[in-house]
Amino acid sequence: MTITKLQISVRELDKAKLKQPPAAGQKLLFGKEFSDRMFILKYTPDKGWHDAEIRQYENLSLSPAALVLHYAPEVFEGLKAYRQPDGGVAMFRPLDNFRRMNVSAERVCLPALDIDFALSALTELVRLEQNWVSSDAGASLYIRPTLIGIDPYVGLKAPEEALFYIILSPVGAYYAQGFEPVSIMVEDKYVRAVRGGLGAAKTGANYAASILAGQLAKKKGFDQVLWLDGIEQRYVEEVGSMNIFFVYGEKIVTSALNGSILPGITRDSVLKLSKHWGLEVAEDKLDIDQVIADIASGKITEIFGSGTAAVVSPVGALYHEGREYAVGGAKTKVGALTQKLYDNLTGIQYGKIPDPFGWLVRVL
Ligand SMILES: *Cc1c(COP(=O)(O)O)cnc(C)c1O
């Protein structure tokens, strides 16, 4: 990866198209509204990365033959910026997102970014858009870096021309209705990823593979599916688009990264924080029959998912082979450790408690 030393040109905005940043108390739907500006960067083999711009948020112009529209060379990231008690703004572990983006990009033959340059571009963008970071409790600015292969060619090949862009979306509290446990269906028909496939890459193709199962589960009244491995359909992988944790009293267990699981940054943060507290943590191959038996016997006291959007999401019940298994005795109960992890992770993100790991990166 070469060092990118590019001037970022900041374009004038069309005043007539300016939008209203979120007002205090305004209801915000996830992912539907975007700020005034976006960052955009082009790649071609001869020029490398070039034309770095912060400009008006607007539609892209792509050839209908663009590779991404046919063969899906696309990777993305998701992270957030949070309003701090002193009025400043900080992002949570952004370099880890860009590092992961490069790992994802390599898997689908997209060019690597200079992560330091990507971070400086993101920082400048969020600084310019600081009014879009709401001060409401639980609100944040969701950041979506995206990288696509755009060669105008309907033959299959590795992308050579690429576009990297970052868009920003103001989001309200994820738990506006309260911190309520979700109900999960163990998916025994469809799989999300297989050994040797794309599971460890954050790419839209994995989501295309997962939408139908999620939709069918919702029709049956479940919030999400729990994915099993793609070979034996026996080992626990993830839940919806989150990583999954099982609490055994003072021990906390998650599925080991096996190449088909997405290595979540929240997952890593949960592991680090739990270790820091002196809890026993383990990354294992988790057999669904054992998990079900351990819920039924009460050995598993809590289950939760982890991801940037929800931070942690308590799981109240698993539905498997026609039966429902309530976690920790009652499917409406939020476990004490789940609550403590949520409070501490969000406490760090909003700058309300110390950040012993140096996870926050100040924007201003
Ligand atoms: C993004 C994502 C996660 C969570 O990752 P975080 O970095 O914690 O947000 C988990 N699983 C899948 C499939 C994902 O795409």
Side-chain angles (χ1 to χ4, degrees):
M1 190 175 56
T2 51
I3 304 291
T4 312
K5 282 222 170 69
L6 287 178
Q7 206 57 36
I8 300 172
S9 55
V10 179
R11 300 259 174 250
E12 288 282 316
L13 299 184
D14 177 347
K15 296 264 176 339
K17 289 190 191 152
L18 289 185
K19 297 174 265 189
Q20 268 311 319
Q26 185 184 329
K27 198 168 178 236
L28 296 164
L29 294 171
F30 179 85
K32 287 211 170 171
E33 288 172 73
F34 300 95
S35 77
D36 283 316
R37 296 176 173 90
M38 64 193 288
F39 172 75
I40 192 154
L41 180 64
K42 293 178 185 157
Y43 182 90
T44 51
D46 53 328
K47 286 192 186 169
W49 291 107
H50 62 280
D51 285 1
E53 278 187 355
I54 290 176
R55 62 160 142 94
Q56 197 124 27
Y57 176 95
E58 61 193 3
N59 290 349
L60 300 174
S61 172
L62 294 180
S63 162
L67 278 181
V68 64
L69 302 176
H70 302 270
Y71 308 118
E74 184 262 9
V75 299
F76 66 95
E77 275 303 327
L79 68 156
K80 285 175 170 177
Y82 305 87
R83 185 66 67 183
Q84 301 295 297
D86 63 2
V89 171
M91 301 184 286
F92 188 68
R93 306 187 65 175
L95 278 174
D96 293 290
N97 288 93
F98 289 127
R99 283 190 195 109
R100 181 171 68 187
M101 188 168 217
N102 275 350
V103 174
S104 301
E106 188 177 13
R107 180 64 182 82
V108 295
C109 302
L110 285 164
L113 287 160
D114 175 336
I115 57 176
D116 293 320
F117 177 71
L119 181 61
S120 65
L122 172 59
T123 303
E124 186 161 354
L125 177 66
V126 175
R127 205 174 278 148
L128 286 165
E129 299 293 74
Q130 56 184 270
N131 291 343
W132 291 83
V133 187
S134 165
S135 306
D136 285 357
S140 58
L141 185 65
Y142 183 78
I143 300 166
R144 172 54 63 92
T146 309
L147 174 56
I148 56 178
I150 58 165
D151 309 45
Y153 179 59
V154 292
L156 180 59
K157 64 160 188 161
E160 290 179 56
E161 292 171 40
L163 208 56
F164 170 67
Y165 58 89
I166 307 174
I167 53 177
L168 307 174
S169 177
V171 294
Y174 188 87
Y175 293 107
Q177 311 312 327
F179 196 43
E180 274 178 25
V182 292
S183 179
I184 303 293
M185 187 188 99
V186 178
E187 177 58 60
D188 55 12
K189 180 175 179 195
Y190 300 104
V191 298
R192 174 188 165 270
V194 294
R195 183 169 66 207
L198 297 173
K202 207 167 176 73
T203 170
N206 286 326
Y207 282 79
S210 77
I211 294 170
L212 178 61
Q215 195 192 32
L216 293 173
K218 286 221 166 83
K219 273 196 191 139
K220 291 184 193 154
F222 301 100
D223 298 289
Q224 279 290 357
V225 300
L226 184 148
W227 297 109
L228 299 174
D229 74 279
I231 297 162
E232 295 179 63
Q233 291 191 266
R234 178 171 165 194
Y235 298 102
V236 172
E237 300 230 312
E238 301 195 43
V239 54
S241 51
M242 289 188 282
N243 296 110
I244 187 161
F245 284 86
F246 301 93
V247 181
Y248 287 78
E250 296 284 289
K251 182 178 175 188
I252 170 167
V253 184
T254 189
S255 308
L257 300 178
N258 60 356
S260 58
I261 292 173
L262 200 285
I265 292 165
T266 319
R267 174 188 182 278
D268 184 69
S269 306
V270 166
L271 289 172
K272 292 208 165 96
L273 201 53
S274 302
K275 256 184 227 165
H276 181 71
W277 289 338
L279 294 172
E280 190 186 339
V281 305
E283 297 172 71
D284 275 338
K285 196 166 173 178
L286 304 170
D287 187 318
I288 186 64
D289 291 333
Q290 189 62 50
V291 163
I292 293 293
D294 291 347
I295 299 172
S297 72
K299 278 191 195 157
I300 289 180
T301 47
E302 302 176 35
I303 304 180
F304 61 88
S306 73
T308 293
V311 186
V312 299
S313 174
V315 174
L318 287 193
Y319 186 83
H320 182 53
E321 292 176 344
R323 281 194 58 189
E324 187 181 75
Y325 298 86
V327 181
K331 62 178 188 175
T332 50
K333 205 177 93 190
V334 175
L337 186 59
T338 306
Q339 183 75 53
K340 184 177 170 187
L341 281 161
Y342 178 78
D343 291 344
N344 281 270
L345 283 169
T346 54
I348 292 171
Q349 290 165 340
Y350 287 95
K352 290 184 176 155
I353 62 172
D355 169 22
F357 306 95
W359 283 335
L360 290 187
V361 173
R362 292 289 293 221
V363 173
L364 65 135

